[in-house]
Amino acid sequence: MNHYPGRYYTTEPSSSLLVDGIDTACPSTLIDLGFGSGSLTKAAINRWPEIRATCVDLAPERDIIFPGVPLSKYRYTQVDVLTPRFENLSAQNDLAHDVIISNPPFHRRTVTAYIRDVLDSAGLSSVLERSSTTFASHCGFLAQSLRNLNENNEVAIILPESFVSGESYSRARAALLDQYHLRKVTELPPNSFCDTEAKCYALYIKAKRDQDGVHLQRAGSFECIRISPRQGAHRLDYKYYEGLPNAPITRAHLEVCTLESAGFEVQRGRLSAKDAPNHTHVCHTSTIRSAQIDTHKRLFLSRATGSRPKGTMHIMAEPGDIVVSRVGSRVVGEMALVTSGQAILTDCVFRVRPSTASALTLAGSIVSGDIASYLRRIARGTCARYLTKDDIRHAPIVRPLS
C-alpha cells in the first residue's frame, strides 16, 4: 500500500465503529470514495456478508492490498473523485448505492471550475471564497457524496475536527443542516488512524427531512446528546455539549446562562510572548498555572494597582478580573481570579472582566467551579490545544435567578 500526501488510513476498530453506526439495515450495495487501505469496505463486508462494493481511489489497482476479501465482493475503479472523470461513474449509474462511505484525504487541492460546480450543486459553496485558489479535499469528497444522496440511501463520512467545530466552517455546517438530514455525529477514539493523532468524527447523513435534532456521540459510549440544528451550526462535537450543566436547569432557584449574558466581557491580551521578557509585570499562562495550587485559584500580581504602564495598547489584568489560559496542551482552560496588583496580558491569555455588580459576585465561584474542566474538554486543535474568544463568551455557568 502506497501512502499519498494527506491520506490517513483508518485502523480496523475505527472502521468497524463507523460502519456499525450506519442506519441502513440490509444494504445490498455500497460505494467507498477514497478506498485507501480498504478498511472501511472490509468492515462493511464483515457486517453485511452479502453486500457488493464499488471501491474508488486514484491509486493504481496494483497498489491496493485487500487481504482476506474475495475479489467477487468488490470492484475497484481507479479515478480521481475530484475531477470530471468521476462523472463517468454517474453516467454508468454506478453511484446508485444503498450506502456511500468515505475516509477522504485531508490536504488542499487547486480550485477548478468543476469543483466550484460540485460544491455549488451540493449546497456547500460557502466553503469557498470568491478569491480562493485552493480548497480542502474533504469538502470535495463530502460534496460528491451528498450529490448522490437519494430518499433511500445514506452517507457515512469521516471529517476532521476543524469541520465539526472550527469557526471557519460554521456556514458550511449551517448549509449542511439546512439542506440535509444530519442524523448523527460520532467522535472517533484516539489512534483511529495509522501514523497520525488527528482527531476526526464520523458524520451520518440522509436526504432532507424534518430535522428534529442531531445526535452527538462519543466513541465507546451508548449515551447521546441531542442538539438543535441551530446549535449544530455553532458546533457539532460531543465534548463541547457534554460539559453543559443540564441538571441544575430543573431547579427553580437557578438558571443556566453564558458568561457573556451573565455580564462578563472577554478580551484577549495583545503582548506577544516573544516581547514579554521586555516587560517586568506580565501575566502569561505560566502565571496562571502558578495559581492552581490555591484551592480558590487566587492570583496576586506584583505591579501595584494604579501604576498602569505608559501607552494604551496593552490589555491589563486588575483585581476582580478572571484570567484564562488560551493555548497550550497542558494549561489550556486554566483560570485564576486576580485579587491584587496589575499585569500586562500576553496574547496567550484571555481576560474575563465582570461588567455588572451581579457578575462580580459570581467571579469567585466561576474559577473554583467546573468551568475550567469544561473549557479543556472543548479546546480545539490536535497538538497545540486552544480556545477562541467565542468559546469563553459562550461558556455556560449557573447563577441564582434574580
Side-chain angles (χ1 to χ4, degrees), residues 12-33:
E12 287 194 11
S14 293
S15 298
S16 298
L17 179 68
L18 177 133
V19 169
D20 289 345
I22 294 172
D23 193 42
T24 307
C26 298
S28 58
T29 61
L30 72 80
I31 187 166
D32 185 345
L33 302 183

Side-chain angles (χ1 to χ4, degrees), residues 8-21 39-40 43-44 103 158 186-194 198 200-202 204 219:
Y8 304 118
Y9 302 106
T10 50
T11 59
E12 287 194 11
S14 293
S15 298
S16 298
L17 179 68
L18 177 133
V19 169
D20 289 345
S39 59
L40 292 182
N103 174 27
I158 295 173
T186 299
E187 178 184 340
L188 297 181
N191 304 314
S192 290
F193 302 91
C194 305
C200 294
Y201 295 77
Y204 300 89

